[in-house]
Structures are given as structure tokens and as C-alpha cells.
Amino acid sequence: MPRSPQLETGDKREIQSSHSHYRWVILGVIFLILFLAVSSRGIVTMYVRPWSSEFGWSITAITLAMSIQLIFSGPGGILGGSLTDRFGPKYVLMAYLLLIVIGIFGIAAMNGLWQLYLFYGLFLGIGSMLHPVTTPLIARWFSKGRGLALGMVQEGDLLGMAVLAPFLLMINETSGWRTAWLGMGLATLVVVLPSTWIFIKPLQARTSTGAKTTNPVMKQQGATFSQASKSRSFWMLMVSTLFCGVTARYFWLLIAPIALEGGMSQTQVGLTISIAGFMAVPGMLVFGFACDRISRPMLLSINFMLRCVAFIIMAFYIWTHEPVLMFIGAGMAGFLTRSSAPPFSVAWINCFGFRSIGSILGISSTVHQTAAALSLFIAGYIFDRVGSYLPTLISSAVLLVIVSIVAWRIPEKKCYVETPEVIQPEKAQRLVTNAP
């Protein structure tokens, strides 16, 4: 039986040299996708009150649409991750971006609540869940500085919110919210889709036998999902992901209503969104840089404890109606709520490799988004009953203390055995379980 082609040391150096420049093009295109297209799912926070006033929809009804979006993003992540493992990221990205375009244009033309559920909940829910697609792509291109690269690219949608929010508010006042959404749809259709088609390419190189291979060495290295699920690291990462979803996602979708509850003007609300979005940039960079050098479980634990402080500060804002407290709390939350993504991503890859990382990240994203959907709906329900987000913020702070302890104890161990072969028989994979 002929041996599978192997990648020798000289081949590895040639690969790293030949792709050292183009990897930044890949990173730039993924950043553009998140900045112009995926940011639309978070921009919706600015329209909760305007839609409620214009259409007479309750806060619970609108937040239900956000919950639907989060629920559908889970299966979207699983599907996208699985397809990426099998066919690569380019065509998956194109298909998901088309769903985003349909969703944005649908929102721009909607007149009924069911249309919000359809276009925002379903189309944007599935289309915007690109994490299981983009993370393996970036991780494969960046074998060194992986955490920093993931931090740089994953801040794209939040930076998009921060940059676009003031302009969209001006468009809302002059031309109406439909024009703002139409502009976002055109930007995605005219700029993002062509850039993805032209520039996204698989990582290719030649093996020592002269044959071309896509994503050499890394493509087949790692545990299957079945093998990974038998590891203690897998379940502790999943539990941490669940608590992260409960305490993070609703902040970005309800930041405007929380700010309005404390008496802020629309201008101050826009400033709050911008502060949170801009603070996400250094947050991603700091935690991305740190996770290449410091234990990922330790970073996650630190992140959750500091996030707890941020939620307490915002709770005090609601209590005192002091805008400075909201600026500080939102800035800290912006710095922290998304900066957990690089440590999580690197921890998953370090533990389970690349073989089924798209599927694993898809399941992880489903857990995160489902938990976020539930917490978002509960937050809206509580607000309609008691007229405040204060109970939600306080309970989130308590949960963050618990998850910080869980994250600290995650055993970050490699749960598979590496072999030098690019193409490996199924039986060559052996699992090294993290037995307690």
C-alpha cells in the first residue's frame, strides 16, 4: 500500500514564505465581511424603540426577533462548519453572504412583525453565523500569531457597529431608517460579495512528492467530533461557552434600550454604542495577543471576572441615571464581551486540531447562540413586567463569577496524536482523553 505524501521541513518553510504576504489579504477580506455585512445584526439595537413607536410592537415582540436570529444562527453555524470541513470556506461564505443581502433588503421593505422574524430572524440568523467558517480559515493561514490574527479579524462587526452607528443615525433623521438599511444591503452586494469571490483562496502548497495539497498537515490533524466529545476539556469549554452566551450577546442587542432606560438622549445612545464598539478593538487585540503567550483558561477566567464588574457598573447607571457610569460600563463590556473569542478559538484548536474544527465550532456556536437567545428573550420579558433591565444585569454578574471559576479549571490538553501524513486513514487517529 503506497504511503501518503508527507510534508518535509523544507516544504514547510517554503509554504510559510510563499503565503506570508497573501494571508493578510485573506484577513482583510474577512474583516471587510464582518465590518460591512455581519455588523447589520448588531445595528438592529438602534431600531428597537423606533420600530416599537412606528409599528406599535412591544419590546418583547422585537426582542423575540433577536432571539429567533440567535436560535437560527446555531444550526447555521453547524451547517457552515460542516460544509467548510468538506468543501472549503469560499462557497460557504458566498452562500451565507447572499442570505445576509436578502435579509437586509427584506428588513428595509418590511411592514409587518412576521417579516422582521423572517428576514432578521431567519435570513440574518443563518447568514451572519460565519465564525465556524472564518475561524478555521484564518487559523490555517496564520500558524504563528494565530491568537492576534483572530483577535484582529473578529473585531470587524463590532468596529462596524461603532463606525456605522453615527452615520446611520444621521440617515435615520434625514431619510428614514429604510434608507439606512438599503445602504447596508447595497454595500454588501456591491463591495463584499465580489471581494469574497475574487480574493478568498484555499491554502495550497506542494508536498515532497510534488503533488499539490490544500491545507497541508493541518487539514487532517485532529480529533473527530465523536472523539472530542469524550474529553473533559470539550465539556468544560462547552459549559463556559454556554455561560458566555447567557451573559454577553444580549448586551450588544440591548445596549440602546439599556442606555435609554437611564435617561440618555439619542445622541448619547449613539455615543454609547460607538464607545462600546471602539473599545472592542483594543479588547480583541489585547486578548488575541495575550492568548499566544498566556494560558487560555486563565485569560477566559480574567475576562469573565472583569465583565462582571462592567455589568455591575451598568446596573449602578440604571440606579443613579448618571451617564458617565454607562459610558464606563459599556466601554468595559465592549472591551470584554467579544474579546473572549480569541482565547476560546485557540483553546478549541489546541485541544482538538483542525480535522473537525468547523463542526466543533459550529456546535459551540449553537450552544452560545441558543443560550444568548434564551437570555435575550428573558431580558425582554422581565422588562415588560417590571420596566427595567436591572434584574438582568445583576443576575448576569452573579453567573459571571461562576463561569470564571469553571474556566480557570479547563484542562487545555491536546486530545489527538499527530502524524506526519497529510492524508491519514481513519484508523490512524487515536484519542488521548483528558481523564480526571
Side-chain angles (χ1 to χ4, degrees):
M1 180 177 177
R3 292 186 62 190
S4 299
Q6 295 182 358
L7 199 66
E8 296 178 348
T9 303
D11 298 319
K12 295 177 183 178
R13 286 197 295 266
E14 182 180 351
I15 292 167
Q16 293 171 357
S17 175
S18 62
H19 297 297
S20 59
H21 299 297
Y22 197 79
R23 62 180 181 170
W24 295 105
V25 176
I26 297 293
L27 187 146
V29 173
I30 299 301
F31 184 91
L32 180 67
I33 291 172
L34 299 178
F35 185 91
L36 286 179
V38 179
S39 62
S40 60
R41 70 178 179 184
I43 290 294
V44 74
T45 185
M46 299 191 306
Y47 300 96
V48 174
R49 290 295 180 88
W51 287 342
S52 179
S53 300
E54 178 176 342
F55 297 110
W57 302 337
S58 68
I59 300 297
T60 300
I62 297 175
T63 54
L64 178 59
M66 299 178 183
S67 296
I68 292 172
Q69 182 262 329
L70 292 171
I71 290 172
F72 276 105
S73 67
I78 295 175
L79 178 62
S82 300
L83 292 175
T84 300
D85 286 337
R86 295 185 59 186
F87 304 111
K90 181 173 183 175
Y91 296 106
V92 180
L93 285 172
M94 291 295 296
Y96 276 42
L97 285 172
L98 285 173
L99 291 177
I100 291 176
V101 169
I102 294 172
I104 293 176
F105 284 142
I107 291 172
M110 71 177 181
N111 289 296
L113 188 60
W114 69 269
Q115 294 170 320
L116 179 64
Y117 294 159
L118 174 65
F119 293 114
Y120 182 76
L122 178 60
F123 284 92
L124 277 180
I126 296 175
S128 62
M129 182 39 65
L130 295 178
H131 174 64
V133 184
T134 59
T135 296
L137 176 64
I138 294 296
R140 285 185 171 117
W141 278 90
F142 286 83
S143 58
K144 292 184 178 180
R146 181 173 292 154
L148 180 59
L150 289 171
M152 293 173 65
V153 72
Q154 289 172 348
E155 71 193 18
D157 60 328
L158 298 182
L159 187 59
M161 286 180 60
V163 173
L164 297 176
F167 295 101
L168 292 175
L169 284 172
M170 288 190 293
I171 294 175
N172 293 342
E173 294 177 359
T174 57
S175 304
W177 62 267
R178 295 184 189 274
T179 303
W181 281 88
L182 182 63
M184 287 190 287
L186 288 174
T188 303
L189 182 63
V190 175
V191 178
V192 179
L193 273 167
S195 299
T196 303
W197 178 258
I198 294 170
F199 295 110
I200 294 297
K201 298 178 181 179
L203 181 59
Q204 290 187 336
R206 291 187 180 274
T207 66
S208 56
T209 63
K212 283 188 176 182
T213 179
T214 301
N215 297 320
V217 176
M218 294 177 292
K219 184 173 182 179
Q220 294 296 328
Q221 291 290 349
T224 65
F225 181 82
S226 176
Q227 292 169 340
S229 65
K230 299 174 184 177
S231 166
R232 186 172 58 154
S233 298
F234 178 90
W235 292 108
M236 293 189 73
L237 280 167
M238 280 295 180
V239 169
S240 299
T241 299
L242 185 147
F243 277 91
C244 182
V246 169
T247 60
R249 188 63 193 160
Y250 78 83
F251 164 74
W252 292 103
L253 293 174
L254 295 179
I255 182 173
I258 290 173
L260 289 170
E261 182 181 340
M264 280 189 171
S265 65
Q266 286 291 341
T267 301
Q268 289 175 317
V269 170
L271 178 59
T272 301
I273 295 173
S274 294
I275 290 173
F278 279 119
M279 286 302 294
V281 176
M284 283 288 200
L285 294 178
V286 168
F287 277 83
F289 180 82
C291 76
D292 288 325
R293 293 159 176 80
I294 302 174
S295 163
R296 272 59 57 179
M298 180 186 299
L299 283 176
L300 289 172
S301 181
I302 293 171
N303 180 287
F304 293 141
M305 285 301 298
L306 293 176
R307 195 187 299 182
C308 171
V309 175
F311 278 66
I312 291 174
I313 291 174
M314 286 189 288
F316 272 110
Y317 156 73
I318 293 178
W319 187 269
T320 63
H321 291 199
E322 179 55 54
V324 175
L325 290 176
M326 186 61 189
F327 293 148
I328 295 173
M332 286 184 64
F335 186 91
L336 296 163
T337 51
R338 286 291 298 277
S339 57
S340 61
F344 266 124
S345 299
V346 174
W348 283 115
I349 293 169
N350 286 351
C351 288
F352 307 111
F354 282 92
R355 183 177 183 181
S356 301
I357 192 61
S359 300
I360 291 173
L361 289 176
I363 297 294
S364 171
S365 298
T366 299
V367 171
H368 184 280
Q369 299 298 80
T370 302
L374 180 61
S375 67
L376 180 64
F377 179 77
I378 291 174
Y381 180 84
I382 292 174
F383 181 86
D384 279 342
R385 295 299 179 273
V386 303
S388 177
Y389 291 108
L390 190 60
T392 301
L393 292 172
I394 293 174
S395 60
S396 295
V398 174
L399 291 176
L400 284 165
V401 174
I402 298 173
V403 72
S404 68
I405 298 173
V406 174
W408 186 274
R409 303 294 298 171
I410 294 173
E412 189 181 16
K413 298 179 181 179
K414 186 172 291 185
C415 299
Y416 62 95
V417 175
E418 291 185 352
T419 71
E421 293 181 334
V422 178
I423 303 172
Q424 307 166 44
E426 179 70 22
K427 294 181 180 179
Q429 293 291 330
R430 289 197 299 110
L431 176 66
V432 179
T433 58
N434 291 334

